[in-house]
Amino acid sequence: MDEERVDRSEGFGERLLGLLLDRAPHLPPQLIAPLIAEEVGRVGGRDVSILLQDYAQELLVPLPGRKLHVSQPEPVFDSPAGRAFLRGEAVEVSLARGGVRMYLPLLDGSDTVGVMVLTLDEVGEEDRRLLRRLAGLAADLLVTKSAYTDQFFLARRREPMSVSAEIQWGLLPPLTMTVPQVAVAGILEPAYRVAGDSFDYALNDNILHMAVIDAMGHGLEAAAMATVAIGAYRHARRVFVSLAEKYTYMDDAISRQFGPDHFVTAQLMHLNIATGELELVNAGHPAPLLIREGKVLRQLESATTLPVGFGGEEPRIREHTLQQGDRVLCYTDGIIEEHVTGGELFGEVRLIRCVNRLGEEPSEGMRADLRRLSHTLKSERGGHTSDDATLFMIEWRGGAADHLAVPD
């Protein structure tokens, strides 16, 4: 009898997902979330919410829509929705009045775009399997439909956004990426006014390509320089040139477009995810921090290379070898040059102290740890971010480059 019930349930689940796939391509974006709520209702789910991460990465905000349960935003930290979001795992909470409140991460690849929340009277393994797949499909649909609607972007905003910030957010890759050998995550501040800071990355075969940049100045001019720098970087990366040549492509683009009085500081890296070998060009940035077992081991020093745009210098490449589990933290000068109480600069010593203090706490994964570090640094700086401030972290996990393996 039990086997017959499971077989029918599995067949129903396949039909439900198939129905959603058949209907979704033809629906306008504003009906995608209500359709998801409708399909969840077919398996007995109720009070369905779709929560999306706000731009400051502090809250999960509900997407409005027919058939959706719209409640108050939930904090990324210290909430069931936040735990599901940061860990990329389903969280279940038993309700005093009966039933189970389920929080399922909306995973687009390895990037978590939000959380699907619903209540079931009871939950079995087949329910969990079906809802995980439904959440994955919902994430894909939301990301795809967001390419031609503003609805999802507007839901994520908690305050007005500058034009320069619009440009920068449109320029960014996914904020997180995780594969078995490596994970990356990045954060931009101030989220609604950022101008010249940006980052980019791509994993091509065994090489992780990464860049963090900081264009001089503020506002639209800085955003324009950052756009050209990232565009030149991506072009160089896609024609398979060396790390040194990437710098040259960017340098030439900035100097030709903006002249000799403008520049962009940059860090460029290649990480071999099979061996842990790291190549680094540091063009005017603070040295990255090497973090091992939760503590800052040292700075990853490199010979000084002129910022991008000053023209013609041969970049100096420094090689480092990472150990399994090492993290590399890149940051722009807005982190350490913010003034704290009394007018003193925040400085690298305080940054390292914050990293080490958080390293004493149990890790919830690199994505969660970086967000917690960002929020801690902002609090330590008195909540002020007067200049662009970027954090970008790489965690090398080691192991064979088996892209079919499932990450932890």
Side-chain angles (χ1 to χ4, degrees):
M1 182 66 75
D2 287 343
E3 290 182 0
E4 292 178 1
R5 180 182 62 79
V6 170
D7 288 343
R8 286 200 302 269
S9 177
E10 289 176 348
F12 175 74
E14 296 296 335
R15 290 194 298 273
L16 185 151
L17 292 170
L19 178 63
L20 183 57
L21 278 171
D22 289 341
R23 295 176 63 186
H26 308 290
L27 287 178
Q30 68 270 19
L31 295 184
I32 288 297
L35 174 61
I36 294 166
E38 178 181 316
E39 300 306 321
V40 168
R42 294 177 185 269
V43 295
R46 60 183 185 274
D47 296 335
V48 180
S49 294
I50 301 295
L51 306 179
L52 302 179
Q53 177 183 222
D54 79 320
Y55 281 96
Q57 303 190 47
E58 295 175 349
L59 295 172
L60 294 165
V61 296
L63 189 64
R66 185 169 54 86
K67 300 184 179 181
L68 290 173
H69 176 69
V70 180
S71 58
Q72 293 298 312
E74 299 205 30
V76 169
F77 292 105
D78 303 320
S79 73
R83 290 197 297 275
F85 178 82
L86 291 172
R87 297 174 184 175
E89 301 172 353
V91 172
E92 300 178 13
V93 177
S94 297
L95 303 177
R97 62 181 182 275
V100 178
R101 193 72 169 154
M102 299 192 68
Y103 301 83
L104 297 113
L106 297 172
L107 291 166
D108 177 48
S110 60
D111 185 30
T112 310
V113 298
V115 178
M116 182 172 73
V117 190
L118 59 106
T119 298
L120 288 173
D121 289 332
E122 57 182 22
V123 183
E125 284 305 313
E126 184 58 30
D127 298 313
R128 294 184 178 96
R129 187 182 76 89
L130 175 59
L131 289 170
R132 281 197 303 269
R133 297 177 69 188
L134 183 59
L137 179 54
D140 289 342
L141 292 173
L142 289 169
V143 170
T144 300
K145 297 290 184 178
S146 71
Y148 46 87
T149 184
D150 293 326
Q151 179 188 15
F152 308 139
F153 296 98
L154 293 173
R156 296 173 57 199
R157 291 189 180 179
R158 306 297 294 169
E159 59 184 84
M161 181 175 284
S162 69
V163 175
S164 59
E166 288 275 12
I167 293 171
Q168 289 299 66
W169 282 103
L171 196 63
L172 287 175
L175 297 180
T176 61
M177 180 201 72
T178 304
V179 296
Q181 297 79 33
V182 70
V184 301
I187 291 179
L188 293 184
E189 296 179 1
Y192 297 95
R193 301 185 306 280
V194 66
D197 277 16
S198 193
F199 61 82
D200 196 40
Y201 64 86
L203 180 59
N204 296 329
D205 295 323
N206 281 349
I207 304 299
L208 174 69
H209 305 252
M210 188 278 293
V212 176
I213 68 163
D214 179 2
M216 67 169 283
H218 302 280
L220 281 175
E221 185 175 49
M225 274 194 289
T227 301
V228 172
I230 291 294
Y233 171 74
R234 287 175 177 168
H235 174 70
R237 190 180 71 213
R238 291 165 183 168
V239 295
F240 305 106
V241 300
S242 67
L243 188 63
E245 289 172 305
K246 287 185 176 70
Y247 170 89
T248 301
Y249 269 68
M250 296 169 68
D251 182 73
D252 183 65
I254 294 297
S255 62
R256 285 177 180 270
Q257 184 64 33
F258 298 99
D261 296 328
H262 295 75
F263 64 89
V264 175
T265 62
Q267 280 175 349
L268 309 178
M269 292 186 187
H270 283 177
L271 173 63
N272 187 315
I273 65 170
T275 66
E277 296 172 352
L278 177 74
E279 292 183 321
L280 167 66
V281 169
N282 192 348
H285 268 232
L289 301 179
L290 176 62
I291 303 169
R292 183 169 295 165
E293 297 180 353
K295 302 292 184 182
V296 175
L297 184 66
R298 66 175 185 273
Q299 293 179 319
L300 292 181
E301 298 291 352
S302 60
T304 301
T305 294
L306 287 175
V308 169
F310 280 158
E313 183 181 63
E314 182 72 21
R316 301 173 185 178
I317 300 173
R318 180 71 181 270
E319 296 181 354
H320 301 274
T321 301
L322 304 184
Q323 294 186 15
Q324 192 167 356
D326 281 353
R327 292 175 173 179
V328 176
L329 177 65
C330 303
Y331 57 96
T332 57
D333 58 12
I335 295 286
I336 58 175
E337 293 183 0
E338 186 68 60
H339 291 273
V340 295
T341 304
E344 186 180 1
L345 291 179
F346 185 77
E348 291 178 346
V349 172
R350 284 190 178 91
L351 170 61
I352 292 171
R353 189 184 303 145
C354 288
V355 173
N356 289 341
R357 187 168 70 242
L358 290 175
E360 295 172 355
E361 303 174 6
S363 174
E364 295 186 273
M366 190 197 71
R367 175 171 45 196
D369 293 347
L370 184 66
R371 283 173 170 82
R372 195 175 295 277
L373 174 61
S374 174
H375 297 166
T376 298
L377 291 173
K378 190 173 181 179
S379 176
E380 291 281 329
R381 301 195 307 268
H384 302 300
T385 306
S386 59
D387 191 11
D388 294 347
T390 295
L391 295 171
F392 187 87
M393 185 178 282
I394 304 167
E395 179 181 85
W396 183 60
R397 298 175 173 182
D402 180 4
H403 296 290
L404 297 180
V406 178
D408 294 335

